[in-house]
Amino acid sequence: MAQRRSIFALLVLLLLVAFVVPVSGQDNVSGEVNFFFLDDRPESRDNWAAIVAGFNETFLNVTVNLIGGPATEGWDGYAQAAARSIAGGQPLDVIYVAVEGVATLVDLGVLTPLNEYIARDQAEVDELLNDVDPALIEPFIIDGSQYLLPHSWNSMLMYYNTARFAEAGLEPPADDWTWDDFLVAAQALTEDTDGDGQPNRYGYDIGGGPFGLEPWFASNGGSFMSGDWCNAQLNSPEVVGAFEFLSSLVYEHGVSPTPGSTANLFEQFQNGDISMFGAGRWMVGIFMGMDFSDYDIAYWPGNPSSGTVVGVDGYAMFSTTQNPDATWEFIKYLTSESVQQTLVGADDAPASNVPARRSVAESLLNFPPDHAERFYGSLSFGNGANMLPSPKNASDVYGALGRASTNIFSGEVSVEDALNAAQSEITSSSCG
């Protein structure tokens, strides 16, 4: 009898074990996560909501609240808006932010390093990091602490009108073309078709801004900031030399209009009145919407080696988060392959950024232009890509650079005088 009771008890125990539902890690993660995102387009909230819905297919017990941040003050202003929200009592857990806002957030002390979380899930995070160019990770590591995981990026390539190159009898730019080669092409593409003595078709539109000018500094072996972003070097020989070359395109060679004077650049590029200009992947969707395909991209011309600029964005955790485990799971999901695939875009509407994951970025080869591989290739070709200098005093440095550029292209101030004046505006190190 005792033996029968023991067998019966064992059967009951086995049945109980069989019907116990295991509790997964996902089921243990619950609560709310407040996500601060850049509310820069009418569809932004809906796009993020779709990504959150995918996250909730696995994490059923986590509610992600979308909190839009301002898009009118640049990334630095956006970052400061997030900090003000926290100071005002708004609980925030995770932020989408570009490199231009990271130093501000770290300096304000509102981000928490991810090192502990990365170590906890090392194999899972390594799967991401091993698929990402190191250049896209380095700016997120400050004083040994990693604050973000990368999401997407853009670099500057030289867009050129293939039809105009053919009309002018020019071969497509070689990978290793130089400033001299660029000038020869620009001269061949510049025309005065109405006979008034002034060109009405130009070889190149200079553009401007830190992101537009830095490729010229990089291809001349320099940058407008030191490598650690501590000190401005607006009057360095490399920056001076680049501005002298750009100024000569306008005032000596006449192959570029005065920066800022070009109206409807994209239309002028389409009709051949501008044959070259610099931009990132965002132009692919614009040109597709214009039903325009007579273009390709080239690496930036070098002096003598090519160089360019890159900007990257990603996700960080706020130090004030009350739900770090759910926040970390959300950050990992945001950098997953499935979310990265959304950066490729639809066949008729490619996205504007390049996915951080190299394996996903290979899908860009299914879209125009013919040499789309140069988007990712620009990170390592020639001198490589300078990460857009983004110190905590970026607004001061960018402002000084912008004023110098305006003065130079006014034709009334010498390059050296304008850049010396700009350098004198920056009176302290951004690392002090």
Side-chain angles (χ1 to χ4, degrees):
M1 179 69 72
Q3 185 180 12
R4 291 173 64 183
R5 284 198 297 268
S6 298
I7 293 173
F8 178 76
L10 179 59
L11 289 171
V12 171
L13 178 61
L14 290 172
L15 287 170
L16 288 173
V17 170
F19 283 98
V20 170
V21 178
V23 178
S24 68
Q26 290 91 339
D27 292 328
N28 282 334
V29 177
S30 61
E32 295 190 8
V33 171
N34 291 326
F35 176 36
F36 197 79
F37 70 96
L38 187 70
D39 199 1
D40 59 337
R41 298 187 303 274
E43 66 273 18
S44 292
R45 183 174 294 272
D46 289 341
N47 290 344
W48 287 116
I51 290 173
V52 170
F55 174 71
N56 285 142
E57 290 179 5
T58 301
F59 293 91
L60 306 178
N61 300 321
V62 178
T63 299
V64 178
N65 302 310
L66 298 174
I67 301 172
T72 56
E73 304 172 24
W75 285 107
D76 181 62
Y78 165 81
Q80 293 187 38
R84 288 195 301 270
S85 294
I86 292 173
Q90 168 70 63
L92 295 177
D93 300 290
V94 60
I95 183 172
Y96 164 75
V97 64
V99 64
E100 296 96 308
V102 173
T104 295
L105 291 168
V106 172
D107 185 58
L108 292 171
V110 297
L111 298 186
T112 191
L114 299 177
N115 301 56
E116 173 188 342
Y117 299 94
I118 292 172
R120 190 176 73 186
D121 295 327
Q122 193 69 58
E124 187 176 355
V125 177
D126 281 349
E127 186 274 329
L128 164 68
L129 300 183
N130 291 338
D131 197 20
V132 175
D133 191 288
L136 304 177
I137 302 169
E138 291 169 3
F140 297 152
I141 301 175
I142 300 175
D143 296 330
S145 296
Q146 182 163 345
Y147 287 94
L148 285 84
L149 292 184
H151 174 64
S152 67
W153 59 278
N154 252 304
S155 63
M156 289 287 279
L157 281 297
M158 188 66 70
Y159 280 72
Y160 66 97
N161 186 309
T162 54
R164 287 286 293 123
F165 265 64
E167 289 172 9
L170 295 169
E171 292 294 323
D175 283 357
D176 60 349
W177 67 326
T178 65
W179 285 9
D180 288 340
D181 299 326
F182 169 84
L183 177 57
V184 168
Q187 289 173 321
L189 294 161
T190 299
E191 296 180 321
D192 173 18
T193 61
D194 57 12
D196 67 352
Q198 296 294 325
N200 57 314
R201 307 190 96 183
Y202 287 96
Y204 174 64
D205 185 85
I206 292 174
F211 205 71
L213 293 170
E214 182 70 1
W216 291 108
F217 310 151
S219 62
N220 201 30
S223 173
F224 65 89
M225 293 287 297
S226 58
D228 56 8
W229 298 351
C230 287
N231 299 299
Q233 43 191 34
L234 300 176
N235 60 351
S236 68
E238 295 81 8
V239 173
V240 170
F243 266 117
E244 286 178 340
F245 178 70
L246 292 174
S247 179
S248 76
L249 298 180
V250 178
Y251 293 109
E252 179 181 347
H253 303 293
V255 297
S256 295
T258 305
S261 66
T262 303
N264 303 315
L265 170 62
F266 307 151
E267 292 181 10
Q268 292 205 44
F269 180 75
Q270 184 180 23
N271 64 31
D273 288 342
I274 297 290
S275 292
M276 295 183 287
F277 73 100
R281 194 200 176 211
W282 60 83
M283 288 308 310
V284 175
I286 292 173
F287 285 146
M288 191 171 288
M290 297 169 66
D291 195 27
F292 175 65
S293 59
D294 290 336
Y295 73 95
D296 204 348
I297 56 173
Y299 292 125
W300 212 263
N303 190 38
S305 296
S306 177
T308 190
V309 64
V310 60
V312 61
D313 55 44
Y315 305 98
M317 183 186 300
F318 285 109
S319 55
T320 52
T321 181
Q322 298 299 305
N323 198 351
D325 288 340
T327 298
W328 173 238
E329 293 297 341
F330 186 50
I331 288 175
K332 288 193 297 179
Y333 178 77
L334 289 170
T335 58
S336 66
E337 183 176 352
S338 61
V339 174
Q340 288 267 294
Q341 286 289 348
T342 66
L343 292 167
V344 175
D347 290 345
D348 60 347
S352 59
N353 284 7
V354 181
R357 288 178 178 265
R358 184 182 285 103
S359 60
V360 178
E362 290 177 357
S363 299
L364 271 57
L365 301 181
N366 299 321
F367 293 85
D370 288 345
H371 289 89
E373 76 279 357
R374 289 173 176 157
F375 286 121
Y376 217 104
S378 67
L379 293 176
S380 56
F381 185 78
N383 293 334
N386 289 352
M387 185 58 60
L388 178 65
S390 304
K392 63 184 180 182
N393 65 338
S395 59
D396 295 334
V397 178
Y398 293 174
L401 177 63
R403 286 184 288 277
S405 180
T406 298
N407 289 334
I408 289 168
F409 292 117
S410 72
E412 299 175 358
V413 181
S414 73
V415 169
E416 286 197 8
D417 286 349
L419 292 173
N420 285 335
Q423 183 67 28
S424 69
E425 293 183 37
I426 313 301
T427 58
S428 61
S429 168
S430 64
C431 298

